[in-house]
Amino acid sequence: MGTPETSREPCPDRILDDIGGAFGMGAVGGSAFHFLKGVYNSPKGTRLVGGSQALRMNAPRIGGSFAVWGGLFSTFDCSMVYLRQKEDPWNSIIAGAATGGFLQMRQGVGAASRSAVFGGAGIMLNKVMSAQQEAPIFVEDLPGGAHGMPQEAAASTSTSSSSWFGGFFGGGKEEEKKSDGGVKTEVLESFDSPIPPTFEFK
C-alpha cells in the first residue's frame, strides 16, 4: 500500500486521468446545482423546463473549469516530480500555488500572488489535516491480560462483554462449549495494520 502520491497513475497518464476526473466532478456537481437553481428561479408551471435548460447551459462550463484546474494542477505536479526527482507533499503544495497563480495571471501580479498563496496554503492545510487523521493508534499488550488484570478476570470480562445482547444470539452457547469440553474460543487477526507513511524530508 503506497502513499496517495505513489498510488496514483504515472506522470504523463496522471494528467489525462485528473482532467477527466475533474471534468466529471464539475459536470455532476454543476448539473445538480444549476438544475436546482433553474427550478427555483423559473416561473410556476415551467420549473422542470427551466431547470433542464439551466443544466444544459451551465454544467459543461463548470465541468470545463474544473478540468482546466485539474489539468494545470497535474501538469505542475508532474513537473515538480520531474525537477525534484521525488514524490512528497511539497510537490502538491507547489503545484497548488502555481495553479492558483497561473489562473489569476490576467488580473495582474497582485491577484496572481494572492491566489498562489491561497492555493498553496489550501493544499498544505489539506495535507496536514489528512496526515493527522491517518495517524494510527497503537495499543501495546500489557502483561497479565487486559489493562493489568489477572488472566482469569480478563477472560471473564471479554466473554461477558462480547456482544450487546449478552447470550441472546449465541453467546451462551460458546460458554457452554467452553465449560463442557474445555475448548477455548479465540478471535484471530487475519492481518496486521500497515505501517503509515511518514513524510520525512531528507
Side-chain angles (χ1 to χ4, degrees), residues 5-17 78 81 87:
E5 283 81 17
T6 58
S7 62
R8 297 170 62 191
E9 293 287 326
C11 248
D13 298 333
R14 181 186 303 182
I15 298 170
L16 291 177
D17 188 38
C78 287
V81 168
E87 291 201 7

PDB file of all heavy atoms in Angstrom, residues 5-17 78 81 87:
ATOM      1  N   GLU A   5       0.515   9.883  -3.025  1.00  0.00           N
ATOM      2  CA  GLU A   5       1.320  10.349  -4.134  1.00  0.00           C
ATOM      3  C   GLU A   5       1.803   9.194  -5.005  1.00  0.00           C
ATOM      4  O   GLU A   5       1.903   9.318  -6.204  1.00  0.00           O
ATOM      5  CB  GLU A   5       2.534  11.144  -3.637  1.00  0.00           C
ATOM      6  CG  GLU A   5       2.205  12.554  -3.184  1.00  0.00           C
ATOM      7  CD  GLU A   5       1.645  12.595  -1.786  1.00  0.00           C
ATOM      8  OE1 GLU A   5       1.808  11.602  -1.060  1.00  0.00           O
ATOM      9  OE2 GLU A   5       1.039  13.608  -1.423  1.00  0.00           O
ATOM     10  N   THR A   6       2.133   8.049  -4.393  1.00  0.00           N
ATOM     11  CA  THR A   6       2.693   6.942  -5.163  1.00  0.00           C
ATOM     12  C   THR A   6       1.637   5.972  -5.651  1.00  0.00           C
ATOM     13  O   THR A   6       1.919   5.139  -6.492  1.00  0.00           O
ATOM     14  CB  THR A   6       3.720   6.172  -4.314  1.00  0.00           C
ATOM     15  OG1 THR A   6       3.083   5.691  -3.131  1.00  0.00           O
ATOM     16  CG2 THR A   6       4.891   7.056  -3.957  1.00  0.00           C
ATOM     17  N   SER A   7       0.405   6.027  -5.150  1.00  0.00           N
ATOM     18  CA  SER A   7      -0.618   5.090  -5.587  1.00  0.00           C
ATOM     19  C   SER A   7      -1.401   5.617  -6.776  1.00  0.00           C
ATOM     20  O   SER A   7      -2.322   4.983  -7.228  1.00  0.00           O
ATOM     21  CB  SER A   7      -1.564   4.776  -4.430  1.00  0.00           C
ATOM     22  OG  SER A   7      -2.223   5.958  -4.019  1.00  0.00           O
ATOM     23  N   ARG A   8      -1.016   6.775  -7.311  1.00  0.00           N
ATOM     24  CA  ARG A   8      -1.693   7.346  -8.469  1.00  0.00           C
ATOM     25  C   ARG A   8      -1.044   6.840  -9.750  1.00  0.00           C
ATOM     26  O   ARG A   8      -0.051   6.131  -9.728  1.00  0.00           O
ATOM     27  CB  ARG A   8      -1.630   8.871  -8.395  1.00  0.00           C
ATOM     28  CG  ARG A   8      -2.357   9.419  -7.191  1.00  0.00           C
ATOM     29  CD  ARG A   8      -2.102  10.875  -7.001  1.00  0.00           C
ATOM     30  NE  ARG A   8      -2.576  11.653  -8.147  1.00  0.00           N
ATOM     31  CZ  ARG A   8      -2.286  12.926  -8.325  1.00  0.00           C
ATOM     32  NH1 ARG A   8      -1.520  13.560  -7.475  1.00  0.00           N
ATOM     33  NH2 ARG A   8      -2.748  13.569  -9.372  1.00  0.00           N
ATOM     34  N   GLU A   9      -1.638   7.241 -10.862  1.00  0.00           N
ATOM     35  CA  GLU A   9      -1.089   6.874 -12.170  1.00  0.00           C
ATOM     36  C   GLU A   9       0.301   7.476 -12.348  1.00  0.00           C
ATOM     37  O   GLU A   9       0.630   8.479 -11.738  1.00  0.00           O
ATOM     38  CB  GLU A   9      -2.009   7.417 -13.263  1.00  0.00           C
ATOM     39  CG  GLU A   9      -3.366   6.763 -13.304  1.00  0.00           C
ATOM     40  CD  GLU A   9      -3.321   5.363 -13.864  1.00  0.00           C
ATOM     41  OE1 GLU A   9      -2.499   5.101 -14.756  1.00  0.00           O
ATOM     42  OE2 GLU A   9      -4.084   4.522 -13.382  1.00  0.00           O
ATOM     43  N   PRO A  10       1.138   6.893 -13.215  1.00  0.00           N
ATOM     44  CA  PRO A  10       2.418   7.532 -13.509  1.00  0.00           C
ATOM     45  C   PRO A  10       2.198   8.862 -14.223  1.00  0.00           C
ATOM     46  O   PRO A  10       1.130   9.126 -14.762  1.00  0.00           O
ATOM     47  CB  PRO A  10       3.129   6.530 -14.403  1.00  0.00           C
ATOM     48  CG  PRO A  10       2.180   5.461 -14.702  1.00  0.00           C
ATOM     49  CD  PRO A  10       0.999   5.602 -13.826  1.00  0.00           C
ATOM     50  N   CYS A  11       3.220   9.668 -14.239  1.00  0.00           N
ATOM     51  CA  CYS A  11       3.030  11.086 -14.537  1.00  0.00           C
ATOM     52  C   CYS A  11       2.402  11.455 -15.879  1.00  0.00           C
ATOM     53  O   CYS A  11       1.486  12.241 -15.877  1.00  0.00           O
ATOM     54  CB  CYS A  11       4.329  11.839 -14.341  1.00  0.00           C
ATOM     55  SG  CYS A  11       4.177  12.930 -12.930  1.00  0.00           S
ATOM     56  N   PRO A  12       2.797  10.994 -17.017  1.00  0.00           N
ATOM     57  CA  PRO A  12       2.084  11.509 -18.194  1.00  0.00           C
ATOM     58  C   PRO A  12       0.607  11.121 -18.201  1.00  0.00           C
ATOM     59  O   PRO A  12      -0.243  11.895 -18.603  1.00  0.00           O
ATOM     60  CB  PRO A  12       2.824  10.882 -19.376  1.00  0.00           C
ATOM     61  CG  PRO A  12       4.145  10.484 -18.847  1.00  0.00           C
ATOM     62  CD  PRO A  12       3.941  10.179 -17.403  1.00  0.00           C
ATOM     63  N   ASP A  13       0.296   9.911 -17.734  1.00  0.00           N
ATOM     64  CA  ASP A  13      -1.100   9.459 -17.709  1.00  0.00           C
ATOM     65  C   ASP A  13      -1.897  10.135 -16.601  1.00  0.00           C
ATOM     66  O   ASP A  13      -3.119  10.234 -16.694  1.00  0.00           O
ATOM     67  CB  ASP A  13      -1.163   7.948 -17.516  1.00  0.00           C
ATOM     68  CG  ASP A  13      -0.493   7.203 -18.661  1.00  0.00           C
ATOM     69  OD1 ASP A  13      -0.464   7.763 -19.768  1.00  0.00           O
ATOM     70  OD2 ASP A  13      -0.011   6.081 -18.442  1.00  0.00           O
ATOM     71  N   ARG A  14      -1.216  10.570 -15.569  1.00  0.00           N
ATOM     72  CA  ARG A  14      -1.884  11.222 -14.442  1.00  0.00           C
ATOM     73  C   ARG A  14      -2.600  12.498 -14.877  1.00  0.00           C
ATOM     74  O   ARG A  14      -3.670  12.818 -14.370  1.00  0.00           O
ATOM     75  CB  ARG A  14      -0.850  11.541 -13.363  1.00  0.00           C
ATOM     76  CG  ARG A  14      -1.411  12.187 -12.130  1.00  0.00           C
ATOM     77  CD  ARG A  14      -0.339  12.603 -11.171  1.00  0.00           C
ATOM     78  NE  ARG A  14       0.496  11.483 -10.772  1.00  0.00           N
ATOM     79  CZ  ARG A  14       1.486  11.576  -9.905  1.00  0.00           C
ATOM     80  NH1 ARG A  14       1.794  12.751  -9.368  1.00  0.00           N
ATOM     81  NH2 ARG A  14       2.195  10.538  -9.581  1.00  0.00           N
ATOM     82  N   ILE A  15      -2.022  13.208 -15.839  1.00  0.00           N
ATOM     83  CA  ILE A  15      -2.614  14.476 -16.289  1.00  0.00           C
ATOM     84  C   ILE A  15      -3.967  14.218 -16.934  1.00  0.00           C
ATOM     85  O   ILE A  15      -4.970  14.857 -16.589  1.00  0.00           O
ATOM     86  CB  ILE A  15      -1.654  15.201 -17.252  1.00  0.00           C
ATOM     87  CG1 ILE A  15      -0.353  15.548 -16.526  1.00  0.00           C
ATOM     88  CG2 ILE A  15      -2.304  16.452 -17.816  1.00  0.00           C
ATOM     89  CD1 ILE A  15       0.740  16.054 -17.433  1.00  0.00           C
ATOM     90  N   LEU A  16      -4.031  13.263 -17.860  1.00  0.00           N
ATOM     91  CA  LEU A  16      -5.306  12.949 -18.506  1.00  0.00           C
ATOM     92  C   LEU A  16      -6.311  12.378 -17.514  1.00  0.00           C
ATOM     93  O   LEU A  16      -7.509  12.673 -17.590  1.00  0.00           O
ATOM     94  CB  LEU A  16      -5.086  11.968 -19.659  1.00  0.00           C
ATOM     95  CG  LEU A  16      -4.343  12.510 -20.872  1.00  0.00           C
ATOM     96  CD1 LEU A  16      -4.118  11.427 -21.897  1.00  0.00           C
ATOM     97  CD2 LEU A  16      -5.120  13.672 -21.473  1.00  0.00           C
ATOM     98  N   ASP A  17      -5.832  11.561 -16.591  1.00  0.00           N
ATOM     99  CA  ASP A  17      -6.713  10.986 -15.574  1.00  0.00           C
ATOM    100  C   ASP A  17      -7.332  12.085 -14.712  1.00  0.00           C
ATOM    101  O   ASP A  17      -8.538  12.067 -14.437  1.00  0.00           O
ATOM    102  CB  ASP A  17      -5.908  10.008 -14.722  1.00  0.00           C
ATOM    103  CG  ASP A  17      -6.778   9.227 -13.760  1.00  0.00           C
ATOM    104  OD1 ASP A  17      -7.898   8.865 -14.153  1.00  0.00           O
ATOM    105  OD2 ASP A  17      -6.327   8.971 -12.632  1.00  0.00           O
ATOM    106  N   CYS A  78       3.407  17.035 -11.981  1.00  0.00           N
ATOM    107  CA  CYS A  78       4.351  16.174 -12.709  1.00  0.00           C
ATOM    108  C   CYS A  78       5.656  16.898 -12.999  1.00  0.00           C
ATOM    109  O   CYS A  78       6.730  16.292 -12.984  1.00  0.00           O
ATOM    110  CB  CYS A  78       3.710  15.691 -14.002  1.00  0.00           C
ATOM    111  SG  CYS A  78       2.449  14.444 -13.738  1.00  0.00           S
ATOM    112  N   VAL A  81       7.634  16.698  -9.852  1.00  0.00           N
ATOM    113  CA  VAL A  81       8.184  15.352  -9.671  1.00  0.00           C
ATOM    114  C   VAL A  81       9.419  15.182 -10.551  1.00  0.00           C
ATOM    115  O   VAL A  81      10.435  14.623 -10.123  1.00  0.00           O
ATOM    116  CB  VAL A  81       7.118  14.279  -9.991  1.00  0.00           C
ATOM    117  CG1 VAL A  81       7.740  12.903 -10.087  1.00  0.00           C
ATOM    118  CG2 VAL A  81       6.030  14.286  -8.944  1.00  0.00           C
ATOM    119  N   GLU A  87       8.659  12.125  -4.913  1.00  0.00           N
ATOM    120  CA  GLU A  87       7.252  12.428  -4.727  1.00  0.00           C
ATOM    121  C   GLU A  87       6.983  12.601  -3.242  1.00  0.00           C
ATOM    122  O   GLU A  87       7.139  11.671  -2.459  1.00  0.00           O
ATOM    123  CB  GLU A  87       6.384  11.300  -5.288  1.00  0.00           C
ATOM    124  CG  GLU A  87       6.435  11.222  -6.778  1.00  0.00           C
ATOM    125  CD  GLU A  87       5.239  10.490  -7.358  1.00  0.00           C
ATOM    126  OE1 GLU A  87       4.319  10.166  -6.593  1.00  0.00           O
ATOM    127  OE2 GLU A  87       5.229  10.273  -8.565  1.00  0.00           O
TER     128      GLU A  87
END
